[in-house]
Amino acid sequence: MTKPTYDDLTGQPELLPGLVRARAKGKAPAKKAIEFADVDPVAQVLVDLPLAHLDRPFDYAVPSAMADTAVPGARVKVRFAGQDVDAFVVARVASSDHTGRLQPLRRVVSAEPVLAPAIAALSEQVARRYAGSRADVLRLAVPPRHATTEKESSEPAPVRRPEGAAEAGLAWSADTHGAGFVEALADGRSPRAVWSAAPGTDWPTRLAHAAAATYASGRGSIICVPDGKDVARVDAALTAVLGTGHHVTLTADSGPAARYRDFLSVSRGTRRIVVGTRAAVFAPVHDLGLLVIWDDGDDLYAEPRAPYPHTREVLLMRAEAEGAAALVGGFARTVEAEYLLTTGWAAEILPTRQALRDGLTVAVTGATDRELERDPMARATRFPALAFDTIRSALADGPVLVQAPRAGYAASLACERCRTPARCSSCTGPLRQASSEQAVACAWCGTVHPDFACTTCGHRGLRAPVRGDARTAEELGRTFPRTVVRSSSGDRVLSRVDAKPAIVVATPGAEPVADGGYAAVILLDTWLVLARLDLRTAEEALRRWMNAAALAAPGGKVVAVGDPAEPTLQALVRWDPGGFARREMEERRSAHLPPASRMATITGSAGALDDALTLLSKPEGAELLGPIEVPAAPGHTAPESPEFRAVLRVPRSHGPALSDSLGELQRLRSARKLDAVRVHVDPPGL
């Protein structure tokens, strides 16, 4: 049997200084003979190095002592470029294409096969689409090892309840094509659907029934939701539908031991239903039958770490690769979800018009002449009479939700007389007030301004053109002195409130669920949500409003304070997320914007960006927009060396070519050790 050397894979023995010194003295160190596995003696491994030019499997010899433990999916240590690095075994093969001698594996860290073949293949797809490295994707897919937990055995799941399929069909029968969707799941088929839920729908229970129908066919499910609050709701619904012990939750807040324990129960096949946040899409569920994403427009699904994959896109890729069913659901509808319907990739599940009419009534202040006669300032004041009257009458029936788009007290201040924005005399940053007890201070440098004087007119009075949830709660507390007023925002997010009369002031995404639903929902400062400069401003505004309005009780009333002629508010009044998404998609198509095109940004210093654009081989039909200087983020001072950004745009059919070109750019930069740039394929915001 041929014995391998300890030379590095690059063929450079000088990377091993100890061996070089020994040879220079004329006495080579003694090498211990190593016996290698007789069956599949070569292990193909992925090293944990985020270097694009090394993003490929490498071959290592498997010592006979590790033949039974170095299984595909196991964690190992290998010698690479003169140092020990972590790696995953992705396959065992009989021979290698490498012409030289192979290094042996250093040791097996754990024989637990935590990297499933399907996830290994998915990581390659994701890395290619987002022009990143597989090592970065695997850090998102496989949680860190917890040795003590790994030694524990996973408890087997209890026996499935066979009546799940029938219950699921009944639960989904209220929506058009809903019952047919879950019947297909129970029959072992793989339907694909985009679901627009009616207001007041108990969506966690619906998703639990869909998972139960899939479970009845002997397959597993993954349900992705935006945050921990939603995970808790689906967790409770799954327990109510299936009982305890049939599912796990995967969230970062669980802690290292609990998270790894739940991951192992999925990897070992003792649990087949997973609910979690964005990383749950990589869960190694056995016999995967259903992938669900709820509220796919939430920006929490956009991974903030390289290569910045979006959960919805990863979910759709995995459903396609594994032949699983897919469900994209929400009260609102994203343009990407509408594109799935337009192309025929998915079918549509809709509530009936009668269900929408019975669900709630949406009104916009100042929408009728009669209301303007009664309240001439209905379109100018922050709290028109209609909003106050709605709160007063609804408090007799239960709690009232007031959505305020800004957190804090007074997010910005201006001169009371001339309306000039109040600025800091030290750094020209905006002034704000954190609470009624605190003094006015700069939002950037923190300088206190107890004796503010306007630089334009000299007036010392201040007003708050933008008021946060704390100021709103304070004003409502004075207006309704005998009513409990509660806030939900920031670090103080409420998950649930009871059915007692109360006013709940919450920021978007922090609205608690009310037992029985809210008697009324008030949407304040709608102009502020629409003032954001972003491609998805209108889409995001409608999503926030619909999510809040959907918390109303059956027959409840929603009042939006804003311009009744605004098309986004009109879509809310009609409860028409599909029509709004179709119009938005047509407008983007005419402007050559996503989803009609694919885009990518390259960001870095002027020199690094210039090098990247020089090396980049642009695909056919690509447009280069920029570069332009990236402005400093609000609340941050401008950096000493500014960053610049270039945007690449191609027709959607050329999207794979764009990803391949950017991937090749990353490999060239990595091999030549050029200055870093950030490559972001399909950024969620532009």
Side-chain angles (χ1 to χ4, degrees):
M1 182 178 294
T2 302
K3 298 180 181 178
T5 67
Y6 285 88
D7 291 347
D8 186 77
L9 286 176
T10 58
Q12 300 175 1
E14 62 270 16
L15 293 177
L16 302 176
L19 184 58
V20 173
R21 286 195 299 269
R23 287 175 176 169
K25 295 178 181 179
K27 48 181 182 180
K31 297 180 181 178
K32 184 179 179 180
I34 300 177
E35 295 183 359
F36 296 97
D38 295 327
V39 179
D40 293 335
V42 178
Q44 295 180 339
V45 306
L46 284 173
V47 294
D48 188 12
L49 293 175
L51 300 174
H53 69 292
L54 300 177
D55 189 21
R56 58 185 175 85
F58 289 91
D59 293 345
Y60 283 82
V62 181
S64 58
M66 305 178 192
D68 296 331
T69 55
V71 296
R75 305 178 200 255
V76 295
K77 285 279 189 181
V78 297
R79 194 72 174 174
F80 195 92
Q83 59 183 347
D84 288 351
V85 297
D86 294 321
F88 288 103
V89 178
V90 292
R92 289 274 297 274
V93 294
S95 61
S96 171
D97 294 334
H98 182 61
T99 57
R101 294 181 178 179
L102 300 179
Q103 288 193 69
L105 299 175
R106 299 288 278 185
R107 66 184 179 92
V108 176
V109 177
S110 168
E112 185 76 35
V114 292
L115 179 59
I119 304 304
L122 179 64
S123 68
E124 184 176 10
Q125 283 185 279
V126 173
R128 181 181 178 183
R129 188 189 194 284
Y130 289 96
S133 68
R134 294 180 69 176
D136 285 334
V137 178
L138 291 178
R139 289 196 189 104
L140 305 175
V142 183
R145 180 175 180 248
H146 195 275
T148 304
T149 304
E150 193 173 82
K151 297 175 183 177
E152 303 172 359
S153 59
S154 299
E155 296 182 2
V159 179
R160 295 193 300 268
R161 289 167 49 181
E163 65 272 20
E167 293 177 354
L170 183 61
W172 281 82
S173 60
D175 286 344
T176 305
H177 308 306
F181 177 78
V182 293
E183 286 174 8
L185 293 175
D187 291 342
R189 289 175 283 161
S190 300
R192 303 163 180 167
V194 173
W195 174 37
S196 296
T201 299
D202 185 6
W203 60 267
T205 300
R206 290 282 193 92
L207 298 185
H209 279 296
T214 309
Y215 200 36
S217 69
R219 298 177 296 167
S221 304
I222 296 176
I223 302 175
C224 295
V225 294
D227 54 32
K229 180 163 60 76
D230 293 327
V231 169
R233 293 185 64 188
V234 180
D235 179 25
L238 284 169
T239 302
V241 172
L242 287 172
T244 59
H246 292 277
H247 72 280
V248 296
T249 60
L250 294 180
T251 61
D253 297 336
S254 302
R259 183 186 179 192
Y260 195 58
R261 182 180 297 108
D262 290 336
F263 174 84
L264 288 178
S265 67
V266 177
S267 178
R268 293 167 179 171
T270 61
R271 299 293 183 275
R272 300 236 182 143
I273 300 177
V274 173
V275 56
T277 48
R278 57 176 176 260
V281 72
F282 293 102
V285 175
H286 291 210
D287 300 319
L288 183 62
L290 173 64
L291 287 150
V292 179
I293 183 169
W294 172 259
D295 196 15
D296 64 300
D298 197 304
D299 56 10
L300 291 175
Y301 286 123
E303 175 60 50
R305 294 169 292 181
Y308 317 110
H310 194 283
T311 304
R312 177 188 56 244
E313 304 307 317
V314 178
L315 181 142
L316 297 178
M317 281 191 286
R318 188 171 182 186
E320 188 80 38
E322 299 190 39
L327 178 63
V328 180
F331 293 111
R333 183 182 296 176
T334 61
V335 175
E336 286 76 12
E338 180 62 29
Y339 184 80
L340 297 178
L341 297 175
T342 303
T343 58
W345 194 88
E348 190 174 25
I349 299 178
L350 286 173
T352 62
R353 295 307 304 175
Q354 186 61 41
L356 294 179
R357 283 191 288 267
D358 296 342
L360 51 78
T361 303
V362 182
V364 182
T365 56
T368 64
D369 293 338
R370 181 177 180 180
E371 185 181 345
L372 289 175
E373 290 177 3
R374 180 170 173 244
D375 183 9
M377 298 298 292
R379 295 182 181 178
T381 185
R382 185 169 186 254
F383 257 114
L386 177 61
F388 276 117
D389 293 344
T390 301
I391 294 174
R392 186 176 293 107
S393 59
L395 284 173
D397 301 321
V400 174
L401 174 64
V402 178
Q403 187 192 71
R406 281 286 183 89
Y409 190 75
S412 66
L413 296 170
C415 175
E416 190 178 33
R417 178 184 294 169
C418 68
R419 304 299 194 261
T420 300
R423 293 286 177 177
C424 174
S425 58
S426 300
C427 70
T428 69
L431 300 185
R432 67 179 180 183
Q433 190 174 12
S435 67
S436 57
E437 292 82 15
Q438 297 184 23
V440 174
C442 177
W444 291 0
C445 66
T447 302
V448 178
H449 292 264
D451 301 320
F452 167 81
C454 179
T455 56
T456 301
C457 67
H459 187 67
R460 294 186 176 276
L462 287 168
R463 66 185 297 270
V466 178
R467 305 170 197 176
D469 67 301
R471 176 70 176 267
T472 303
E474 183 182 282
E475 293 175 351
L476 289 171
R478 289 196 296 263
T479 305
F480 300 95
R482 295 182 178 85
T483 303
V484 175
V485 180
R486 307 179 69 180
S487 294
S488 179
S489 66
D491 297 332
R492 300 173 289 104
V493 176
L494 305 176
S495 59
R496 184 173 290 275
V497 295
D498 55 35
K500 297 179 181 178
I503 298 176
V504 180
V505 181
T507 52
E511 302 94 345
V513 178
D515 294 337
Y518 290 97
V521 176
I522 311 297
L523 306 174
L524 294 179
D525 301 331
T526 57
W527 63 270
L528 187 58
V529 184
L530 294 168
R532 207 172 50 144
L533 295 177
D534 190 87
L535 175 65
R536 300 180 183 274
T537 294
E539 179 184 311
E540 175 66 9
L542 184 61
R543 187 188 72 84
R544 292 182 177 189
W545 298 336
M546 282 190 163
N547 285 351
L551 297 175
K557 189 171 185 180
V558 177
V559 175
V561 181
D563 182 5
E566 168 60 45
T568 314
L569 281 174
Q570 292 177 2
L572 174 67
V573 172
R574 297 191 307 271
W575 200 269
D576 184 21
F580 176 84
R582 283 188 289 275
R583 286 189 296 274
E584 188 77 8
M585 187 172 65
E586 289 302 321
E587 290 178 3
R588 293 191 194 178
R589 179 177 293 160
S590 63
H592 303 288
L593 293 172
S597 65
R598 290 277 303 277
M599 304 185 78
T601 60
I602 307 175
T603 309
S605 63
L609 183 57
D610 183 64
D611 291 342
L613 294 178
T614 302
L615 291 173
L616 178 66
S617 176
K618 292 189 293 185
E620 180 184 355
E623 297 178 77
L624 177 63
L625 310 177
I628 62 170
E629 184 174 346
V630 180
H636 295 78
T637 57
E640 295 182 3
S641 56
E643 286 192 327
F644 293 82
R645 175 181 298 145
V647 178
L648 286 166
R649 178 171 63 184
V650 298
R652 187 174 183 88
S653 59
H654 295 172
L658 175 63
S659 295
D660 291 343
S661 296
L662 292 170
E664 182 61 26
L665 169 65
Q666 295 280 53
R667 287 186 284 275
L668 290 173
R669 284 186 45 260
S670 176
R672 300 184 186 185
K673 299 181 180 179
L674 300 179
D675 292 340
V677 294
R678 292 192 305 277
V679 175
H680 198 164
V681 178
D682 293 334
L686 290 171

